[in-house]
Amino acid sequence: QVRLVESGGGLVQAGGSLRLSCAYSGRTFSRYAMAWFRQAPGKERAFVAGISSGGGYTYYEDSVKGRFTISRDNAKNTASLQMNSLKPEDTAVYYCAVDRRNGLNLVTSYNFWGQGTQVTVSS
């Protein structure tokens, strides 16, 4: 059974940085593509960044390009989202998700989700 646990969220001032982690357990992690999504209050869950199963392909939502970096360590069954130059509009609950298919950015495409970690950026 696949299980995902996010950590690393918190409160940070605008311009600061946070690093989110996603710990995976279950079937072979390297078979799964992985993505980060976020959900702000009153808004729908939205794609942030994705990474292929082998880690060689990454893709981002436009508003985070150049500020966020997604990575993974298949040997450690973990993935990370390094977030720099944070803005108040980045405030949301952040979720990691996995699926066997690569290159997806739709919420409905992912079958396995973590419980989320809160990121709050103050102005």
Side-chain angles (χ1 to χ4, degrees):
Q1 183 175 351
V2 172
R3 184 168 181 255
L4 301 167
V5 179
E6 302 95 336
S7 61
L11 173 64
V12 63
Q13 289 188 332
S17 298
L18 280 176
R19 186 177 182 88
L20 305 183
S21 294
C22 178
Y24 169 94
S25 60
R27 300 170 185 167
T28 307
F29 182 49
S30 61
R31 294 181 179 176
Y32 288 87
M34 186 267 172
W36 287 93
F37 290 77
R38 63 186 178 185
Q39 188 165 15
K43 295 187 177 181
E44 294 185 350
R45 194 170 299 188
F47 172 78
V48 176
I51 188 167
S52 61
S53 56
Y57 173 61
T58 59
Y59 51 109
Y60 299 89
E61 188 269 328
D62 285 346
S63 70
V64 307
K65 285 180 181 176
R67 299 190 298 123
F68 290 11
T69 302
I70 188 172
S71 61
R72 65 189 295 162
D73 185 338
N74 285 347
K76 296 182 178 179
N77 285 359
T78 60
S80 297
L81 184 68
Q82 177 66 43
M83 304 186 296
N84 299 328
S85 302
L86 283 161
K87 305 175 181 180
E89 51 264 43
D90 294 319
T91 295
V93 177
Y94 284 71
Y95 300 88
C96 61
V98 296
D99 193 83
R100 293 291 296 268
R101 299 163 293 177
N102 285 307
L104 304 176
N105 64 358
L106 298 178
V107 171
T108 53
S109 298
Y110 286 83
N111 292 313
F112 302 103
W113 294 82
Q115 83 290 345
T117 185
Q118 176 70 48
V119 171
T120 303
V121 184
S122 62
S123 58

